Amino acid sequence: MIDRTHEARRTSWVASAQGHADFPLQNLPLGVFSTPRDRRPRPGVAIGDEVLDLSALALSGLLDTALADAAPLLTADTLNPLLAQPASVRLALRHALFDLLADDAPHRARVAEMLSAASHVTLHLPARIGDYTDFYAGIHHALNVGRQFRPDQPLLPNYKWVPIGYHGRASSIVVSGTPVVRPNGQRRAPGQDTAAPDAGPSRRLDYELELGIWMGPGSSLGTPVPIAQAEAHIAGLCLLNDWSARDLQAWEYQPLGPFLAKNFATSISPWIVTTEALAPFRMRQPARPEGDPAPLPYLWDADDQAHGAFDLELDVYLSTPAMRARGAAAHRLARGHASHLYWTVAQLLAHHTVNGCNLQAGDLLGTGTISTPTPEGLGSLLELSEGGRRPVDLGEGETRTFLEDGDEVIMRARARRDGFASIGLGEVRGIVQPAPSLHVPLS
Amino acid sequence: MIDRTHEARRTSWVASAQGHADFPLQNLPLGVFSTPRDRRPRPGVAIGDEVLDLSALALSGLLDTALADAAPLLTADTLNPLLAQPASVRLALRHALFDLLADDAPHRARVAEMLSAASHVTLHLPARIGDYTDFYAGIHHALNVGRQFRPDQPLLPNYKWVPIGYHGRASSIVVSGTPVVRPNGQRRAPGQDTAAPDAGPSRRLDYELELGIWMGPGSSLGTPVPIAQAEAHIAGLCLLNDWSARDLQAWEYQPLGPFLAKNFATSISPWIVTTEALAPFRMRQPARPEGDPAPLPYLWDADDQAHGAFDLELDVYLSTPAMRARGAAAHRLARGHASHLYWTVAQLLAHHTVNGCNLQAGDLLGTGTISTPTPEGLGSLLELSEGGRRPVDLGEGETRTFLEDGDEVIMRARARRDGFASIGLGEVRGIVQPAPSLHVPLS
């Protein structure tokens, strides 16, 4: 059911919102920002090229009396208190914001005073992330990587039964725009399978295109979340770049999985695009290929199959120092789509909790790298360069197998549907900085 | 250098502290507690069978003026603010507590009013754990488990180069005494390598004997901690039971490592036994066997090799419902020792940060399961029962291969050295409760 705030013809008195690539009136994503004049991080909502101060709004008396209880949640320094509320609170806030920002809104002058130009604000992580879990639900990525590591068995026997996932590092999740320092670690060059490793900067630094899933209300330790109730625990989506050091990963990952190859940085887009905003862009989960096993009962829900996927187009761009020097736009490396996930978000969440593991508001899940079955939408350089064997042509004589210092990776996502205003997730970007030396004392 | 607070002959006016198995005057471990009369969680220190209220002490004016700045840290609801301080602050607090609790202390009557019987307090997690990392540094455990999964190659080629570790779940870390619900999950019986899995309660529930390492002051993203500075980031130790569902683990762990097999619960002892208290019980890191590679330079420090290990005896006990019904004491399953770790704590920490991963005060590291090379100190039932093939005799006709509902696992640790008072880490205990049904809707 699509509520009134999706009416595509409604426009905002915030001029930049009209036809905005990401943040028209119909999106209203939640984030945390600060300004040069008020450095306290506080909740905000993106509207066009502006950010509306939700803490000021909460204190203004302009919010519905229905939202009076929510006002304290909007003055916190993270969105965790708001994320802990049921979807009905987010929806009430969405309705109130729509009514205040639509063309025919009252109180325009007062609300306008609560706007800051997005170009002048600092965006922070929207929530304190208690735990970060990264899944592996992009089946074409799993196949592509598996072919490189295990040509005889690209997909392990558990893949189509178990939504494979592992715990990532919460402390090193950074907001879009934060520079990413190339990691040092133990390396063995490919083919040197019996040589001793050395320690130094990763030579095979990569990105991974993923969606991030923000947890809303948590769950209790010892109590599985049934799949039919899983959506009630999901607050919204963001973009996620799971930076990966492939040489460190290949050497360290057995038997307990990736560790230093991943935990040096994970970048996310700053805005939580809510499940309410994304409601028109849900789609049927693509049918499993003939012969794939049916999901076990705890992973199966007919409604979820009918509406569980996201109709989101996903782009990855690379901007090199040479491109910037000549004033060239970033080069698009891939255009993919979120429907290439083998499991729905509800399935990921039902699996995560089937053993009683508890979730908390503000936890973050990554979907795993999303790649297309065909070459146009591969979600990592490992795939695009076929493990470093085929350099990727960037034009003007530039190529890449893996990321070089100064390279900037940019990811974007857009949802489109006839009869609805297009919305986007915004972007996540990060520029690679050189590794520090390991040979002199540091800090 | 051992400071004055280790003098073995000094005793406390708290009578139960004399000869206390864990908490004589020389220990003074830090925790968070509440009482029926004052339910606010607040810092405390264990002394004999009593708990001293540090928040009351901070407000009393009895602490040194040197500790005036630390007073606000002692009234927080977690130890995170105190853990973020350098070791000098912990040491000043230790000296002040020693002077207030030793036999010749002034203000005894006033301090006595700040004591609560340990049997009447509730102990909480001592800190908000931002990230939890579990290592795999117990080489005999790695060998024993490797022999079961990979008889031809029990130890993978990276083991003696890389301090293997992975990220665990922070939200499901629970304090000693919290019941542990048996996890549901996907299972395939051993030998059924081609059968479809089903979902249900784990049939191979196990414990793992580990030490937990509490992080003191954190480190910055992008900046490795040199091994010579690693100890400055370590606040103290606890006991850690890394509950493990072996059937879930065997099926899910490739290629990204353990997930649901571990994240349903991790139990820790409630007291942080500080590195200051443990100073007399440091020992030389056992020499690497002939032929093992030398650690890479970032993992090598001569001082750390000379003092980096811990002289701690580790015990695991099992109490079954039948034992409790007949009033029998718990059965000791293993007596091990912390010196069977292949890497020192400083090596673990230098490795964790070599790629720039940041640490935060209150983070927790697990050492990995600690087993002896001989059968008397195996740290898991998987090892004791040889993968479930050889039931462990508990006496009185009882045996176990894996844990049954109602079983309680208890771990203890003790440090002894001539000329010093023995101290202990306290205990971690947890009782197994039945799995919830997956066949009816659960909220």
Side-chain angles (χ1 to χ4, degrees):
Chain A
M1 188 131 53
I2 305 305
D3 78 289
R4 62 190 162 89
T5 56
H6 287 289
E7 293 173 46
R9 68 182 182 282
R10 291 289 290 281
T11 55
S12 172
W13 53 264
V14 179
S16 62
Q18 267 61 271
H20 194 276
D22 291 309
F23 309 131
L25 179 63
Q26 288 77 6
N27 194 340
L28 303 173
L30 304 168
V32 169
F33 79 109
S34 60
T35 54
R37 288 180 55 179
D38 184 350
R39 297 187 176 278
R40 289 172 307 154
R42 53 200 191 274
V45 64
I47 176 77
D49 294 331
E50 309 277 326
V51 175
L52 174 64
D53 186 333
L54 288 177
S55 70
L57 185 63
L59 299 171
S60 70
L62 293 179
L63 282 179
D64 283 358
T65 50
L67 274 165
D69 290 349
L73 313 175
L74 301 178
T75 56
D77 61 356
T78 70
L79 289 176
N80 294 78
L82 180 61
L83 293 174
Q85 300 300 308
S88 58
V89 174
R90 291 195 309 271
L91 189 63
L93 177 63
R94 177 179 175 81
H95 286 169
L97 291 169
F98 196 87
D99 292 343
L100 287 167
L101 292 167
D103 265 333
D104 55 355
H107 315 299
R108 285 171 51 162
R110 288 184 62 194
V111 174
E113 287 173 12
M114 303 172 198
L115 293 175
S116 299
S119 56
H120 284 71
V121 310
T122 300
L123 292 166
H124 303 271
L125 287 180
R128 187 181 61 71
I129 299 164
D131 278 290
Y132 162 49
T133 300
D134 200 16
F135 283 96
Y136 198 52
I139 187 169
H140 305 296
H141 171 76
L143 276 163
N144 293 335
V145 173
R147 281 189 197 104
Q148 294 182 23
F149 284 84
R150 297 173 301 274
D152 51 327
Q153 188 185 39
L155 219 53
L156 292 169
N158 56 13
Y159 189 86
K160 293 180 174 179
W161 294 97
V162 180
I164 296 290
Y166 70 109
H167 291 293
R169 181 85 190 173
S171 74
S172 54
I173 297 175
V174 296
V175 75
S176 177
T178 307
V180 169
V181 177
R182 180 183 298 271
N184 288 295
Q186 293 192 25
R187 316 166 300 182
R188 288 201 310 184
Q192 299 184 350
D193 282 357
T194 56
D198 68 354
S202 170
R203 299 185 183 103
R204 292 162 71 89
L205 181 62
D206 202 354
Y207 60 83
E208 289 191 344
L209 169 65
E210 303 194 18
L211 289 174
I213 303 149
W214 285 101
M215 284 301 103
S219 67
S220 300
L221 190 61
T223 305
V225 174
I227 187 165
Q229 295 171 28
E231 284 276 345
H233 296 269
I234 301 164
L237 300 186
C238 66
L239 284 157
L240 187 150
N241 181 350
D242 179 26
W243 303 91
S244 299
R246 302 299 179 191
D247 40 359
L248 278 56
Q249 186 174 359
W251 173 231
E252 77 172 359
Y253 90 105
Q254 285 189 317
L256 299 182
F259 183 50
L260 298 191
K262 303 277 193 173
N263 68 10
F264 58 95
T266 303
S267 298
I268 59 171
S269 58
W271 296 105
I272 301 178
V273 176
T274 64
T275 51
E276 292 72 47
L278 289 164
F281 310 104
R282 304 302 291 265
M283 55 181 279
R284 173 169 290 280
Q285 174 70 358
R288 299 189 147 208
E290 193 77 30
D292 281 11
L296 289 174
Y298 79 93
L299 294 172
W300 177 260
D301 180 72
D303 275 353
D304 179 51
Q305 292 295 308
H307 311 290
F310 289 91
D311 189 359
L312 276 169
E313 187 178 79
L314 309 170
D315 288 343
V316 183
Y317 298 85
L318 181 65
S319 169
T320 67
M323 289 177 194
R324 296 195 295 275
R326 65 172 191 267
H331 176 84
R332 197 176 80 203
L333 290 170
R335 169 157 290 176
H337 197 277
S339 61
H340 294 296
L341 294 167
Y342 192 74
W343 303 98
T344 67
V345 171
Q347 286 174 318
L348 300 181
L349 203 144
H351 182 66
H352 203 320
T353 62
V354 68
N355 69 341
C357 181
N358 57 330
L359 300 171
Q360 296 182 310
D363 285 350
L364 186 66
L365 312 183
T367 55
T369 309
I370 304 172
S371 290
T372 50
T374 46
E376 79 282 1
L378 301 176
S380 66
L381 279 172
L382 182 71
E383 293 162 89
L384 283 168
S385 73
E386 295 174 12
R389 287 182 294 275
R390 198 180 68 86
V392 178
D393 184 2
L394 305 177
E396 301 280 333
E398 269 201 298
T399 63
R400 285 290 183 279
T401 47
F402 292 98
L403 295 171
E404 298 186 4
D405 292 346
D407 284 353
E408 184 170 38
V409 178
I410 305 144
M411 298 174 180
R412 299 196 181 107
R414 190 81 60 82
R416 292 189 184 87
R417 180 176 161 192
D418 284 348
F420 292 86
S422 295
I423 66 171
L425 300 189
E427 65 177 24
V428 58
R429 57 170 69 219
I431 194 163
V432 176
Q433 293 190 335
S437 168
L438 282 180
H439 302 296
V440 293
L442 294 153
S443 91
Chain B
M1 188 129 56
I2 305 306
D3 78 290
R4 63 191 161 86
T5 55
H6 287 287
E7 293 174 45
R9 68 181 182 283
R10 292 286 292 280
T11 54
S12 171
W13 54 264
V14 179
S16 61
Q18 267 61 270
H20 194 275
D22 291 308
F23 309 132
L25 178 63
Q26 288 78 5
N27 194 341
L28 303 173
L30 304 168
V32 169
F33 79 108
S34 60
T35 53
R37 288 180 54 179
D38 184 351
R39 297 187 175 278
R40 289 172 308 153
R42 54 201 191 273
V45 65
I47 176 77
D49 295 331
E50 309 277 328
V51 175
L52 174 64
D53 186 334
L54 287 177
S55 70
L57 185 62
L59 299 171
S60 71
L62 292 180
L63 281 179
D64 283 358
T65 52
L67 272 166
D69 289 348
L73 313 175
L74 301 179
T75 56
D77 61 356
T78 70
L79 289 176
N80 295 77
L82 180 61
L83 293 173
Q85 301 299 308
S88 58
V89 173
R90 291 196 309 270
L91 189 62
L93 177 62
R94 177 178 174 83
H95 287 169
L97 291 169
F98 196 88
D99 291 344
L100 287 166
L101 292 167
D103 266 334
D104 54 357
H107 315 298
R108 285 171 51 161
R110 287 185 62 195
V111 174
E113 287 172 12
M114 303 172 198
L115 294 175
S116 298
S119 56
H120 284 70
V121 309
T122 300
L123 292 166
H124 303 272
L125 288 180
R128 185 182 62 72
I129 299 164
D131 278 290
Y132 161 50
T133 300
D134 200 17
F135 283 96
Y136 197 53
I139 188 168
H140 304 297
H141 171 74
L143 277 164
N144 293 336
V145 173
R147 280 188 199 105
Q148 294 183 23
F149 284 85
R150 297 173 301 273
D152 51 327
Q153 188 186 40
L155 220 51
L156 291 169
N158 56 13
Y159 189 86
K160 292 180 175 178
W161 294 96
V162 179
I164 297 290
Y166 70 108
H167 291 292
R169 181 86 191 172
S171 73
S172 53
I173 298 175
V174 296
V175 75
S176 177
T178 307
V180 169
V181 177
R182 179 182 299 271
N184 287 295
Q186 292 192 26
R187 316 166 299 183
R188 289 202 309 184
Q192 300 184 348
D193 284 354
T194 56
D198 67 354
S202 170
R203 299 186 184 101
R204 292 163 71 88
L205 182 62
D206 201 356
Y207 60 82
E208 289 191 344
L209 168 66
E210 303 194 18
L211 289 173
I213 303 149
W214 284 101
M215 284 302 102
S219 67
S220 300
L221 190 62
T223 305
V225 174
I227 187 166
Q229 294 171 27
E231 284 275 346
H233 295 269
I234 301 164
L237 299 187
C238 66
L239 284 157
L240 187 150
N241 181 350
D242 180 24
W243 302 92
S244 300
R246 303 298 180 192
D247 40 359
L248 279 54
Q249 186 173 359
W251 175 229
E252 76 170 1
Y253 89 105
Q254 285 189 319
L256 299 182
F259 182 51
L260 298 192
K262 301 278 193 172
N263 67 10
F264 58 94
T266 303
S267 298
I268 60 173
S269 58
W271 296 104
I272 301 178
V273 175
T274 65
T275 50
E276 292 72 47
L278 289 165
F281 310 105
R282 303 303 290 264
M283 57 181 278
R284 173 168 289 280
Q285 175 70 357
R288 296 189 150 210
E290 192 77 31
D292 282 9
L296 289 174
Y298 79 93
L299 293 172
W300 176 262
D301 180 73
D303 275 354
D304 179 50
Q305 292 295 309
H307 310 290
F310 288 91
D311 189 359
L312 276 169
E313 187 177 80
L314 309 170
D315 288 343
V316 183
Y317 297 84
L318 181 65
S319 168
T320 67
M323 290 176 195
R324 295 194 296 275
R326 66 175 191 264
H331 176 85
R332 197 175 80 202
L333 290 171
R335 168 157 289 177
H337 196 277
S339 62
H340 295 295
L341 294 167
Y342 192 73
W343 303 99
T344 67
V345 171
Q347 287 175 316
L348 300 182
L349 204 143
H351 182 67
H352 202 320
T353 62
V354 69
N355 69 342
C357 181
N358 57 329
L359 300 171
Q360 298 182 309
D363 285 349
L364 185 67
L365 313 183
T367 55
T369 309
I370 304 172
S371 289
T372 49
T374 45
E376 79 282 4
L378 301 176
S380 67
L381 279 172
L382 183 71
E383 293 163 86
L384 282 168
S385 73
E386 296 175 11
R389 286 181 293 275
R390 199 180 68 85
V392 178
D393 184 2
L394 305 178
E396 302 279 335
E398 269 202 300
T399 63
R400 284 291 183 278
T401 48
F402 292 98
L403 295 170
E404 299 186 5
D405 292 346
D407 283 354
E408 184 170 39
V409 178
I410 305 144
M411 299 174 179
R412 299 196 180 107
R414 189 82 59 83
R416 293 191 183 85
R417 179 177 162 192
D418 284 350
F420 292 86
S422 295
I423 66 171
L425 299 190
E427 66 177 22
V428 58
R429 59 169 68 218
I431 194 164
V432 176
Q433 293 190 336
S437 167
L438 281 181
H439 303 295
V440 292
L442 296 152
S443 69

